[in-house]
Amino acid sequence: MAKMRHGIFLPPFHAMNENPNNVLHRDLELMEWLDRLGYHEAWIGEHHSAGFETISSPEVFIAAAAERTRHIRFGTGVISLPYHNPLMVANRIIQLDHQTRGRVMFGAGPGLLASDAIMLDIDPNTQRDRMEQALDVILRLFRGEIVTERTDWYSLNQARLHLLPYSDPYPEVAVASAVTPSGGRLAGRYNLGMLCVAAAETKGFDALGVNWRTACEIAEEHGHRMDPQRLRLVAPFHIAETREQARRNVRFGIQQYLDYINNNMPRFNVPPGTDVVDYWLDNKIGVIGTPDDAIELIRKLQAKQGEFGVMLHMANNIADWDATKRSYELYARFVMPCFDRSNVAREESYAWVTANRDSLSKQRSDAAQRMIEKHEAERAAKRGEKAKVASAGRRGGPSLIS
């Protein structure tokens, strides 16, 4: 089994009482922090309404974040294709591909917020069909095709990329998948990665196997084979040294987060008098606990899904900044090694030494004793030589003066 990679999915979510300029720069600072900790990926969302999700252009954000980092890869998580001319999307992604020298990934979706679509005078019922239309064109453009096409929402006349991809053959492409089979259908048809954005929640968790099977079946029909290394599961994590500390940390913003989600589409009905953290845990929304709890959830997802390539944190800012940074640090220190096998050789070496401790200890002691005996013998010989010289001098040895 290949090493699991780790990253975040950053919509982002920022409470309405925070300074919007400050949180935008803090998101950039988070990218630097994750890069230093060794996270592999960060996916950045696109939203235009409702107040909480404050990045409207993932491409602009990624361009800035890439300049501040060295290793982490960035994905659009996701570009809402019905909102854009497909030629413009393709050109922006390829420009980013060059600017980042291959560190960009293209994530596509239909658009999540109905309020975004309404402002653009788009019927939400058309969004998934339009996403499929646009994605087909973008992939053809990535492959170097010339496209002439007229639809009821865009027209292209001999459209082509004049900047070919930096990546070979072009940046990795993934589609969003939650509960409906639409993402899996597209992934299978075009041989793409999948972003399962609600993997831990009950409906999303239940749909994991179904959507993956759908993708695999359709891929086979089109002569492809789905690669589990391009399957990414998203779940919320907040971890601390103890469960009690984690619970205290998330009271900073958990209620505001749930209120925002329910303001878009009621999903979480917390009964009056119920502790919101208990509700979160009882309904398996995500992890609020320790590194061991994070490990347990990932293993549960593996048991449900089978092999998958990347575990992404749903970055939701339910804890304050310092506690959030600490959570990512604890995850990098204690969770990542369980799934990338980076400590396997160390553990085997430790176990081998433990099993052979008596023999190794004896050899070490014997070697040390031999060194002591050798040293003492050498010093005794030196002392003997000096004693002979001194004795000869006292007996009136030959004079050096004639």
Side-chain angles (χ1 to χ4, degrees):
M1 184 179 291
K3 293 181 179 180
M4 181 180 289
R5 306 183 305 282
H6 304 268
I8 72 164
F9 192 91
L10 182 77
F13 296 112
H14 292 300
M16 301 297 293
N17 61 344
E18 290 226 38
N19 182 320
N21 182 266
N22 177 273
V23 298
L24 180 59
H25 286 277
R26 200 170 69 209
D27 286 336
L28 289 168
E29 185 180 343
L30 177 60
M31 301 301 106
E32 297 177 72
W33 181 240
L34 297 174
D35 190 50
R36 288 198 294 272
L37 291 172
Y39 282 76
H40 303 91
E41 302 180 357
W43 295 79
I44 316 301
E46 173 193 358
H47 303 89
H48 303 279
S49 61
F52 250 60
E53 300 173 88
T54 51
I55 293 176
S56 59
S57 172
E59 304 99 316
V60 170
F61 183 93
I62 289 169
E67 292 296 311
R68 295 167 178 241
T69 56
R70 297 179 60 190
H71 306 291
I72 192 169
R73 301 175 72 210
F74 295 102
T76 57
V78 294
I79 294 177
S80 302
L81 296 188
Y83 306 164
H84 307 274
N85 183 291
L87 176 62
M88 298 295 101
V89 174
N91 277 327
R92 293 198 299 268
I93 292 298
I94 297 305
Q95 180 178 328
L96 273 179
D97 188 33
H98 281 268
Q99 285 182 217
T100 64
R101 289 194 168 98
R103 280 198 288 149
V104 73
M105 300 168 288
F106 171 43
L112 177 64
L113 301 181
S115 50
D116 286 356
I118 296 303
M119 289 198 304
L120 292 165
D121 198 24
I122 296 172
D123 180 355
N125 289 314
T126 67
Q127 286 178 252
R128 284 177 172 78
D129 290 338
R130 290 186 176 187
M131 175 202 166
E132 186 170 349
Q133 286 179 313
L135 182 62
D136 183 82
V137 169
I138 291 167
L139 292 173
R140 288 157 62 194
L141 291 169
F142 281 175
R143 293 192 294 265
E145 295 183 24
I146 300 172
V147 179
T148 296
E149 186 167 287
R150 181 179 299 276
T151 72
D152 60 349
W153 65 286
Y154 68 81
S155 296
L156 297 174
N157 182 28
Q158 298 186 66
R160 65 193 304 172
L161 299 182
H162 67 166
L163 187 63
L164 296 179
Y166 177 89
S167 299
D168 184 18
Y170 48 79
E172 182 179 354
V173 182
V175 292
S177 175
V179 177
T180 73
S182 60
R185 288 167 57 88
L186 288 174
R189 176 179 173 183
Y190 293 106
N191 193 22
L192 308 177
M194 290 174 64
L195 289 161
C196 298
V197 295
E201 296 177 26
T202 300
K203 290 183 179 179
F205 180 81
D206 291 342
L208 281 178
V210 174
N211 288 345
W212 181 248
R213 283 196 300 274
T214 296
C216 290
E217 289 170 2
I218 293 180
E220 186 176 359
E221 293 170 5
H222 287 81
H224 311 306
R225 182 181 180 278
M226 293 295 293
D227 180 3
Q229 285 302 299
R230 292 188 291 158
L231 175 61
R232 294 166 170 88
L233 306 190
V234 184
F237 293 86
H238 178 78
I239 59 178
E241 285 80 357
T242 67
R243 289 178 176 175
E244 293 73 19
Q245 184 61 54
R247 291 174 67 96
R248 287 193 293 271
N249 291 347
V250 301
R251 295 196 186 280
F252 168 81
I254 190 171
Q255 186 63 61
Q256 291 164 300
Y257 170 75
L258 292 177
D259 288 346
Y260 168 70
I261 298 298
N262 286 334
N263 193 44
N264 278 276
M265 184 178 71
R267 286 162 55 191
F268 303 118
N269 179 27
V270 184
T274 300
D275 182 274
V276 67
V277 178
D278 289 339
Y279 176 87
W280 181 288
L281 296 172
D282 291 343
N283 286 272
K284 300 178 176 57
I285 298 171
V287 171
I288 297 172
T290 66
D292 286 342
D293 294 316
I295 292 167
E296 181 182 354
L297 174 60
I298 296 171
R299 286 179 173 156
K300 176 183 175 184
L301 291 170
Q302 287 178 321
K304 174 71 173 180
Q305 173 61 48
E307 183 182 359
F308 62 94
V310 189
M311 187 74 245
L312 299 176
H313 296 230
M314 175 63 80
N316 49 29
N317 293 296
I318 58 176
D320 200 3
W321 177 229
D322 287 339
T324 296
K325 289 177 66 179
R326 179 64 171 161
S327 176
Y328 287 120
E329 180 183 5
L330 290 170
Y331 185 97
R333 289 175 62 189
F334 301 114
V335 180
M336 286 186 189
C338 289
F339 298 97
D340 64 15
R341 305 193 308 281
S342 58
N343 279 329
V344 168
R346 295 175 65 202
E347 291 165 354
E348 290 175 350
S349 180
Y350 189 95
W352 177 77
V353 170
T354 301
N356 294 277
R357 177 175 54 195
D358 293 343
S359 173
L360 294 169
S361 180
K362 184 178 185 304
Q363 292 180 58
R364 178 179 175 181
S365 297
D366 290 348
Q369 185 60 38
R370 280 193 298 271
M371 184 66 238
I372 292 170
E373 292 170 355
K374 178 182 178 182
H375 172 74
E376 290 178 347
E378 289 176 351
R379 299 318 299 168
K382 287 288 186 182
R383 288 193 296 270
E385 291 174 5
K386 288 180 179 179
K388 289 179 182 178
V389 171
S391 175
R394 289 194 296 270
R395 290 196 302 267
S399 174
L400 296 177
I401 301 174
S402 58

